[in-house]
Amino acid sequence: MSQKKITLECSVCGARNYTMHGNSNREQRLELKKYCKHCGKNTLHKETR
């Protein structure tokens, strides 16, 4: 299993708030609801490439 660094970007304001390590063999981009300190609320964060 190969690990790569994943960056998550807020879908509302575009800030890149989170980084994590994950599996690079996925076909779809990762989407998680996380807290955005710039928006001040929980928003959808999507994986950037």
Side-chain angles (χ1 to χ4, degrees):
M1 176 195 280
S2 59
Q3 295 277 323
K4 71 171 190 173
K5 191 173 182 181
I6 298 170
T7 304
L8 298 177
E9 180 180 70
C10 177
S11 61
V12 177
C13 68
R16 295 181 179 193
N17 299 322
Y18 294 96
T19 58
M20 55 194 330
H21 293 281
N23 186 1
S24 62
N25 295 330
R26 288 179 284 107
E27 293 181 11
Q28 294 182 335
R29 292 187 185 187
L30 184 64
E31 294 183 357
L32 299 172
K33 283 197 96 169
K34 303 285 271 180
Y35 180 78
C36 178
K37 63 183 178 181
H38 302 285
C39 296
K41 58 185 174 181
N42 286 326
T43 60
L44 185 65
H45 283 68
K46 297 182 180 181
E47 177 183 349
T48 61
R49 299 231 170 151

